[in-house]
Amino acid sequence: MEIQINGERHSIEPMTLLDLLGSLDINPLRVAVERNRDIVPKREYGSILLADGDLLEIVQFVGGG
Amino acid sequence: MSGTDKLIIGGREFGSRLMVGTGKYASFQQMVQAIELSGAEVITVAVRRVNISDRSKESLLDHLDLTKYTLLPNTAGCYTADDAVRTCRLAREAGLSDFVKLEVLADEKTLFPDNEELLKAAAILVKEGFTVLPYTTDDPVVCRKLEDIGCAAVMPLGAPIGSGLGIRNPYNMRIILETVKVPVIVDAGVGTASDAAIAMELGCHGVLMNTGIAGARDPLAMAEAMNLAVRAGRLAFRAGRIPRKLYATASSPLDGVIQ
């Protein structure tokens, strides 16, 4: 299935959000995720099964003023 | 005296009245040292997409002792209330704090705020329980409206972001200080230590800066200078300056001069 992560298309196998973060080498504690414009609470990362066509925004803190 | 002079925002107490950004430093190490020397307890960060294809870059948070600092995520780069609100929600989830520096920009050249969108976003965020610190123009009416909405502070610009022009309209700052009861933090425009001192001498409750330190030839020395300037300006404000007079008043006794 296909999903979009930060504006880019990715083909993935069905998996949870937590698995996806793991496969991308992203520390779940260091990011926030929006799925189809809704914030995903951290405690739900392991139970959310990604669906075809999902739009994900994965953000982190960077230097800024 | 300065030991008991705390800055209180959204129910939290801060010993330092200087807030600093984390952008534009040559390295994480330099950033950490500059923040340390500035004495700041509140530090701003930006919220950006994770680079999925290149995971080699270090994370900003790995370099900051989060037990020492209150993170103030910003909404820099947002041009609509909708984008700013989304960014704040993401920031809260990433940082587990409800402090946000709300900025909604109107124009790339000046980076002036779009106050209409700002007020819209502030109203939504206050309702959602955020502690909102809005970056605004130095307009007392807008500041009053932001306070009425429930913002925890107002952060009028001294001059455009990164311009280093200092406090361009000290009279507006004075009117803002008389208009609102929430803390007034000068955000943007500070170019050197005297600018920060002037803001504090006017009675502003704090100063927020990034480029003024990170862009200096020696950021570490400037961080220390800003630390001292904010403290000196605050002390001078509390001490009460003498009135300005056109003519001299002798400091030494007029009597007893030898004849």
Side-chain angles (χ1 to χ4, degrees):
Chain A
M1 62 183 201
E2 270 202 356
I3 62 170
Q4 259 197 42
I5 309 172
N6 292 350
E8 288 174 17
R9 280 196 215 172
H10 289 258
S11 287
I12 61 160
E13 299 299 312
M15 62 172 93
T16 65
L17 178 56
L18 190 64
D19 291 335
L20 175 75
L21 294 176
S23 73
L24 294 171
D25 195 23
I26 292 172
N27 178 353
L29 297 175
R30 288 280 190 257
V31 297
V33 181
E34 199 185 59
R35 181 188 181 215
N36 304 324
R37 293 209 155 214
D38 286 326
I39 293 289
V40 185
K42 279 201 176 24
R43 60 179 183 281
E44 293 177 16
Y45 286 3
S47 56
I48 284 203
L49 209 52
L50 295 171
D52 191 43
D54 271 353
L55 300 177
L56 299 183
E57 289 285 343
I58 306 176
V59 301
Q60 63 180 350
F61 290 140
V62 300
Chain B
M1 173 166 137
S2 57
T4 57
D5 181 30
K6 304 278 190 196
L7 171 64
I8 300 172
I9 298 176
R12 282 201 218 176
E13 270 191 18
F14 303 102
S16 168
R17 291 173 178 272
L18 175 58
M19 303 180 181
V20 297
T22 52
K24 295 187 176 177
Y25 285 100
S27 65
F28 281 129
Q29 190 197 6
Q30 188 189 54
M31 174 196 80
V32 170
Q33 283 180 298
I35 294 171
E36 183 76 30
L37 287 163
S38 76
E41 293 165 26
V42 178
I43 55 181
T44 60
V45 293
V47 178
R48 290 291 179 270
R49 283 173 162 175
V50 171
N51 187 342
I52 302 295
S53 46
D54 176 15
R55 302 289 309 120
S56 61
K57 285 189 179 162
E58 294 173 283
S59 163
L60 172 75
L61 293 190
D62 292 334
H63 295 270
L64 296 169
D65 180 355
L66 297 177
T67 60
K68 264 169 48 182
Y69 302 112
T70 295
L71 287 187
L72 183 60
N74 69 30
T75 59
C78 292
Y79 284 79
T80 63
D82 186 44
D83 282 349
V85 168
R86 280 175 70 196
T87 302
C88 288
R89 289 173 183 153
L90 282 163
R92 177 156 68 179
E93 194 57 33
L96 302 172
S97 150
D98 55 18
F99 269 57
V100 285
K101 170 182 160 177
L102 177 63
E103 50 184 300
V104 188
L105 304 174
D107 167 51
E108 282 180 28
K109 195 170 177 184
T110 61
L111 297 178
F112 281 146
D114 182 330
N115 287 326
E116 199 182 339
E117 292 292 302
L118 180 73
L119 290 163
K120 223 190 284 177
I124 295 168
L125 292 167
V126 167
K127 255 188 218 148
E128 293 187 11
F130 284 91
T131 301
V132 181
L133 289 76
Y135 157 71
T136 170
T137 42
D138 55 355
D139 178 339
V141 178
V142 173
C143 287
R144 194 195 67 218
K145 288 182 179 180
L146 288 164
E147 179 182 49
D148 289 346
I149 282 171
C151 291
V154 292
M155 304 209 292
L157 54 85
I161 295 172
S163 70
L165 290 173
I167 314 295
R168 291 203 303 188
N169 197 337
Y171 301 102
N172 268 31
M173 286 298 170
R174 280 172 55 186
I175 297 174
I176 291 168
L177 285 161
E178 285 188 12
T179 305
V180 301
K181 291 189 186 69
V182 292
V184 177
I185 314 290
V186 169
D187 179 5
V190 171
T192 189
S194 54
D195 295 335
I198 286 169
M200 297 310 295
E201 287 172 10
L202 284 168
C204 295
H205 303 90
V207 181
L208 195 162
M209 65 182 77
N210 187 351
T211 311
I213 295 174
R217 193 175 64 240
D218 182 345
L220 301 187
M222 189 59 92
E224 192 176 357
M226 291 299 186
N227 182 347
L228 295 168
V230 167
R231 285 159 53 199
R234 178 66 182 176
L235 274 174
F237 168 72
R238 296 191 69 186
R241 60 154 300 143
I242 60 164
R244 290 181 171 87
K245 284 182 294 187
L246 192 55
Y247 293 101
T249 312
S251 304
S252 308
L254 299 178
D255 295 337
V257 178
I258 56 166
Q259 302 284 328

